[in-house]
Amino acid sequence: MIWSKAESAPREVIEETQVARLRETANRVYAINPFYKKKFDALGILPEDIKGVEDVRKLPFTKKQDLRDHYPFGLFCVPMTEVVRVHSSSGTTGKPTVVGYNQNDMDVWGEVMARVYTMSGTDANDVVHNGYGYGLFTGGLGFHYGAEHVGATVVPASGGFTDRQLMLMRDFGATVLACTPSFALHMAEVAAKAGSDFKKDYKLKAGIFGAEPTSPGLKAEVAKAWGIKYHEVYGLSEIIGPGVSCSCEHSELLHIFEDHFLAEIIDPKTGEPVPEGERGELVITTLTKQALPIIRYRTGDITSIIKEPCKCGRTHARMESIVGRADDMLIVNGVNIYPSQVEHVIANAEGVTLNYQIIADKKGHLDKLEILVEVSDDIMVDSVGEMERIKKEIQASLLNNLYINANVKLVEPRTIERSMGKAVRVIDKRK
Ligand code: DLL
């Protein structure tokens, strides 16, 4: 089943739609937002110069920092009376990146999420167990309203509380599981330890997993453990949230909803396009968003795109699973973290230096984060109470500002590993 006719439109139609919508979006941002007007003017480009899809390359890039610089609503292109929802991610200075939606955008989001659910075979007969976090994160509510859009019964479980989630899945007869892949595997392990008979106790047939990088091995493990079809979903809050692309029943590649999002792959160093099928940084322009339209957003995600039609009948181009990041962002249990954000928290703590090291590892199937921080020379390392207080303060600040649950370990000055005199900031043992 395909939710919308637009998903199987001929390539010429897709491109005609894209050009018309791109021009409309460029007009909107140029006329309304001084940030974009200034950038367009600096490049000497006008919205009417857009004649074909490839003309998107004439437009300026937008970066995460631009959203931060215009915190909270500076890049919005509708009056606040029209904004019906905001979401946000964690931010460097305790100030998050804020995104906004008007009713049109909520409808677009509902539409693309309905396509995601339909790709996984979900309809009104299904019970969707939604284990994505509800709140400022787009995962919970994005999956929630999408499920309602296709008429499924949605169980708004949110994250955490594994035993209770398993009980709800069993008792409510969940047929579709939506959560991060690592949480899906963690739940399977807990269920197995409790002696579950997966076939008898659970009715799951499909899962829609995303928000964090995965490997083919991990996907296969999740699918096997639960005995389900694995669908991967990709998205980011700056563009809409979950629902930018999703894999169908025929391939592991993810169909990009091209009538709403114009995707390019560029060389992250030069900003130039790479040939079709080659890997590079994914750049997305929204084509139908109104409250926060975004021009050429540098996602930082490394992938490739092919346009070859798929057996499922959809003609929308497909991207491979994200293979890495162009920057140093880490994703820990679905939460995005930049080392610079951690550094900011440490800089504001007393008794410690800026020599730190972030160690990401696995505990079972979940990610765990340890942060080593060298204390200052003038701190009495044998004062257990004082060390404990500083450690707790940093941990609380990481949790409150960045939503990260980390174990902070204070270490003596000059003990963190250095390479060529430079501290090694991040060690990712999960790879
Ligand atoms: O993670 C939205 C989402 C929610 C997607 C639920 C899928 C499911 P952000 O918090 O803004 O939004 O994080 C966006 O997460 O740039 C990628 O680096 C990463 N990411 C999202 N989906 C995938 C995926 C949501 N399928 C950032 N594979 C993105 C790998 C992913 N990384």
Side-chain angles (χ1 to χ4, degrees):
M1 260 275 289
I2 298 182
W3 178 260
S4 159
K5 268 201 195 132
E7 293 173 83
S8 46
R11 177 110 319 255
E12 314 83 74
V13 175
I14 296 175
E15 291 194 359
E16 272 165 28
T17 308
Q18 287 184 320
V19 182
R21 292 179 172 178
L22 177 62
R23 212 178 295 124
E24 205 177 303
T25 301
N27 264 319
R28 169 177 286 271
V29 299
Y30 187 78
I32 298 175
N33 201 295
F35 162 78
Y36 281 111
K37 180 165 189 319
K38 216 166 131 191
K39 284 186 119 184
F40 277 44
D41 288 347
L43 292 172
I45 172 112
L46 287 168
E48 51 266 35
D49 295 334
I50 296 165
K51 305 262 182 330
V53 178
E54 59 295 341
D55 288 331
V56 70
R57 293 181 203 148
K58 297 179 181 161
L59 301 179
F61 290 120
T62 307
K63 297 192 170 154
K64 199 178 192 85
Q65 191 57 42
D66 295 320
L67 283 149
R68 292 196 177 121
D69 292 346
H70 294 84
Y71 173 86
F73 309 136
L75 293 191
F76 286 13
C77 290
V78 295
M80 284 309 283
T81 48
E82 241 191 65
V83 174
V84 295
R85 174 88 70 78
V86 290
H87 279 283
S88 79
S89 60
S90 55
T92 324
T93 56
K95 299 271 192 229
T97 316
V98 182
V99 298
Y101 306 74
N102 68 359
Q103 193 50 53
N104 159 81
D105 304 335
M106 294 307 295
D107 295 343
V108 170
W109 202 6
E111 161 72 20
V112 290
M113 283 309 294
R115 294 179 186 182
V116 164
Y117 276 112
T118 306
M119 275 194 198
S120 69
T122 308
D123 60 23
N125 298 303
D126 286 295
V127 175
V128 174
H129 183 91
N130 186 6
Y132 285 110
Y134 279 65
L136 288 169
F137 176 54
T138 50
L141 288 169
F143 269 87
H144 185 101
Y145 286 101
E148 290 191 347
H149 221 82
V150 295
T153 307
V154 54
V155 182
S158 199
F161 308 105
T162 312
D163 290 330
R164 198 183 52 154
Q165 298 230 12
L166 288 169
M167 180 188 81
L168 296 177
M169 278 165 68
R170 273 194 316 267
D171 295 351
F172 296 178
T175 52
V176 177
L177 172 62
C179 65
T180 59
S182 53
F183 191 58
L185 205 51
H186 171 71
M187 284 205 288
E189 195 175 78
V190 174
K193 270 204 191 123
S196 285
D197 175 340
F198 282 80
K199 281 242 147 38
K200 213 166 107 235
D201 299 342
Y202 296 94
K203 295 206 179 81
L204 283 188
K205 59 173 195 188
I208 313 173
F209 306 111
E212 65 187 11
T214 32
S215 60
L218 187 109
K219 287 188 200 177
E221 241 183 287
V222 171
K224 187 162 165 241
W226 284 107
I228 56 174
K229 174 86 186 132
Y230 189 112
H231 292 269
E232 179 173 358
V233 59
Y234 167 82
L236 59 165
S237 44
E238 292 84 350
I239 296 303
I240 200 150
V244 169
S245 62
C246 185
S247 63
C248 64
E249 67 275 28
H250 284 293
S251 112
E252 295 214 332
L253 302 178
L254 289 79
H255 286 282
I256 302 168
F257 303 124
E258 287 189 278
D259 49 334
H260 294 286
F261 312 112
L262 177 57
E264 303 167 72
I265 300 288
I266 61 157
D267 177 329
K269 291 205 179 76
T270 62
E272 291 301 316
V274 302
E276 185 177 333
E278 275 186 25
R279 284 179 181 164
E281 182 179 348
L282 176 66
V283 170
I284 305 177
T285 302
T286 62
L287 296 174
T288 47
K289 292 258 305 295
Q290 295 180 352
L292 182 63
I294 291 226
I295 303 288
R296 302 192 84 198
Y297 187 71
R298 301 280 299 252
T299 65
D301 293 316
I302 305 290
T303 180
S304 62
I305 295 180
I306 55 161
K307 290 192 179 147
E308 187 187 294
C310 176
K311 273 198 228 145
C312 71
R314 291 177 182 84
T315 48
H316 280 169
R318 286 172 292 161
M319 57 184 254
E320 68 176 327
S321 286
I322 303 300
V323 293
R325 294 275 313 166
D327 56 21
D328 55 359
M329 185 176 93
L330 283 167
I331 303 185
V332 176
N333 293 321
V335 178
N336 306 344
I337 303 165
Y338 289 91
S340 56
Q341 296 177 307
V342 173
E343 185 164 314
H344 187 84
V345 166
I346 295 170
N348 283 321
E350 44 172 314
V352 292
T353 67
L354 270 178
N355 292 320
Y356 65 93
Q357 186 170 63
I358 302 170
I359 305 170
D361 204 350
K362 287 264 174 211
K363 185 174 184 197
H365 298 295
L366 297 183
D367 297 328
K368 67 168 190 169
L369 206 62
E370 183 171 65
I371 300 175
L372 309 181
V373 191
E374 288 181 7
V375 294
S376 335
D377 278 320
D378 52 358
I379 279 279
M380 302 288 287
V381 274
D382 47 358
S383 162
V384 180
E386 177 67 351
M387 295 282 274
E388 196 55 25
R389 189 188 63 76
I390 298 173
K391 170 190 149 126
K392 287 233 169 84
E393 198 179 289
I394 300 175
Q395 282 182 177
S397 182
L398 289 167
L399 191 62
N400 294 336
N401 293 309
L402 306 177
Y403 317 125
I404 56 177
N405 217 329
N407 177 36
V408 172
K409 202 167 151 193
L410 299 183
V411 297
E412 297 205 20
R414 291 167 293 280
T415 50
I416 290 180
E417 181 190 334
R418 280 155 172 81
S419 160
M420 321 256 289
K422 228 172 112 78
V424 181
R425 291 282 177 240
V426 178
I427 297 184
D428 197 342
K429 296 184 174 168
R430 300 170 301 176
K431 285 178 182 155

